[in-house]
Amino acid sequence: MARKYSPKAGKKVEKVMHEFKEGDLKSGRSNKKVTSRKQAIAIGLSEAREAGAKVPKKATGKKAASKKKTATKKKTASKKTATKKKTAAKKSTTKKAATKKKTAAKKSTTKKTARKKTATKKSK
């Protein structure tokens, strides 16, 4: 189904496309030269909207909405896996530290008992 644009909108887009082809079209805040044809058309339609021309609303149909949803799902899934990995790493490091402490404690107690045994043997 074709979109219905007013003649005023068509003129505006035509003017912007002429600027684009000459290399004079620049984007909003950054004031960089526009190199994309699609971006030039979008700028023309935006200016037409501001001028009050009849232009359909920006596309927020099912396809665009579903793309956004899948992108957010992927992002949240990757965030979850990253946090799981971090917590698993923290747990493993704490377990390693705990086992090191235990082994160190065992070694120190065995050293103490060995010292005691040697001390009692020497005294006899």
Side-chain angles (χ1 to χ4, degrees):
M1 191 167 174
R3 293 178 178 223
K4 296 178 181 172
Y5 297 95
S6 67
K8 187 176 179 182
K11 292 283 183 186
K12 197 71 166 175
V13 172
E14 186 179 329
K15 181 184 167 209
V16 170
M17 287 306 292
H18 183 70
E19 285 179 32
F20 168 69
K21 287 176 185 175
E22 286 186 354
D24 297 333
L25 185 63
K26 298 194 176 179
S27 65
R29 281 188 211 163
S30 64
N31 209 21
K32 290 182 180 178
K33 190 171 101 172
V34 175
T35 57
S36 170
R37 184 176 157 272
K38 287 183 178 182
Q39 184 65 31
I41 293 169
I43 290 169
L45 291 174
S46 177
E47 287 180 9
R49 278 188 193 93
E50 288 174 8
K54 183 183 174 190
V55 181
K57 292 181 181 180
K58 293 179 184 178
T60 56
K62 291 180 182 178
K63 288 183 182 178
S66 66
K67 283 182 184 178
K68 286 181 184 176
K69 285 181 183 177
T70 55
T72 53
K73 283 181 183 178
K74 287 179 183 177
K75 285 181 183 177
T76 54
S78 63
K79 283 182 183 177
K80 286 179 182 177
T81 55
T83 53
K84 283 181 182 178
K85 286 179 182 176
K86 286 180 184 176
T87 54
K90 284 181 183 177
K91 286 179 182 177
S92 65
T93 54
T94 54
K95 285 181 182 178
K96 287 177 185 176
T99 54
K100 283 182 182 178
K101 286 180 183 177
K102 286 179 182 178
T103 54
K106 284 181 182 178
K107 285 180 183 177
S108 65
T109 54
T110 54
K111 285 181 182 178
K112 286 179 185 176
T113 54
R115 285 184 194 155
K116 286 180 183 178
K117 286 180 183 177
T118 55
T120 54
K121 285 182 183 178
K122 284 181 183 178
S123 64
K124 286 184 181 180

